[in-house]
Each structure stands twice: as C-alpha cells, then as structure tokens.
C-alpha cells in the first residue's frame, strides 16, 4: 500500500540589513508550527549553501502533511497566519514555494547513501 505525503518547501530571502533577532524570531515562529496537528514534520533553518551561488534564498522551511486538505488547513490556521503576518511578510522580500506528492511505494535510495 502506498501513502501519499504532501511535501512542502518554502525558500525565503530576507531583506538586507535585517536585524538578526528578527530572523531568529521568524525561524522560532515557523518552527513552532510543528505543534499544529495537521503537520507531520516541519523544520525551518538558514541554508548552509546554495548552488549556483547567485541563488537568492537564505532560509528554508520543509514540512510534510498526510493530505492536501491538511496542508490547506495548516495554511489557514490562525497560528500560521500570525507567523506569516508578524514575521515573514515584514522581513522577506522574495519567497518561493514548492509542493509535491511523495509516493511511499516508490523505491528510495538506502539511508546510508551519501
């Protein structure tokens, strides 16, 4: 039996000269969204490296949901709306969103793969 998981990536570019404490607050607020029952997995962190180096994004959120309905409910949740309004929209000028369906019946590389 296959399980279809919705994977969600958001890439953020923060305005130049943003106070680091505001970036930390944004990441703290985003990471707190793991507590929402619709979320299977969520992490938000700065990017370590990007290729090509001209890639403009510096932070990323990666999350997973067991259905598109749960992802929609997450994005409509008041806690999510507050984080986006109070932090993300104030300090980010460029955001890219990528969603896809991951089918668990598709063979994956072994976990020991580099």
């Amino acid at each position: 039996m296959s399980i279809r998981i919705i994977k969600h990536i958001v890439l953020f570019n923060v305005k130049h000269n943003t106070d680091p404490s505001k970036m930390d607050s944004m990441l703290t607020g985003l990471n707190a969204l793991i507590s929402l029952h619709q979320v299977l997995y969520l992490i938000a962190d700065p990017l370590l490296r990007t290729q090509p180096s001209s890639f403009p994004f510096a932070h990323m959120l990666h999350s997973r949901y067991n259905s598109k309905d749960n992802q929609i409910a997450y994005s409509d949740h008041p806690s999510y709306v507050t984080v986006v309004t109070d932090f993300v929209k104030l300090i980010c000028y460029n955001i890219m969103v990528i969603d896809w369906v991951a089918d668990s019946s598709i063979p994956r590389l072994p976990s020991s793969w580099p």
Side-chain angles (χ1 to χ4, degrees):
M1 176 182 183
S2 69
I3 299 171
R4 300 176 66 82
I5 299 293
I6 306 298
K7 291 191 176 185
H8 177 70
I9 299 280
V10 183
L11 300 168
F12 305 92
N13 201 348
V14 177
K15 295 174 185 174
H16 297 291
N17 299 321
T18 296
D19 185 319
S21 67
K22 290 183 180 184
M23 285 186 275
D24 290 343
S25 294
M26 178 184 78
L27 292 172
T28 298
L30 289 169
N31 279 306
L33 297 174
I34 186 66
S35 66
L36 301 181
H37 76 273
Q38 298 91 348
V39 179
L40 297 176
Y41 171 87
L42 185 144
I43 189 162
D45 278 317
L47 293 173
L48 179 62
R49 177 177 69 102
T50 60
Q51 281 294 53
S53 59
S54 61
F55 193 68
F57 301 100
H59 294 81
M60 180 182 86
L61 176 136
H62 175 206
S63 57
R64 297 179 190 148
Y65 312 86
N66 65 9
S67 70
K68 187 65 178 169
D69 288 342
N70 275 353
Q71 184 187 16
I72 291 168
Y74 157 82
S75 64
D76 289 340
H77 194 283
S79 295
Y80 169 87
V81 172
T82 297
V83 170
V84 170
T85 302
D86 291 354
F87 301 108
V88 175
K89 287 185 176 181
L90 295 179
I91 67 171
C92 294
Y93 69 91
N94 195 7
I95 299 171
M96 178 187 289
V97 178
I98 305 164
D99 294 326
W100 74 97
V101 177
D103 188 339
S104 69
S105 67
I106 298 172
R108 305 287 182 203
L109 293 171
S111 61
S112 61
W113 190 74

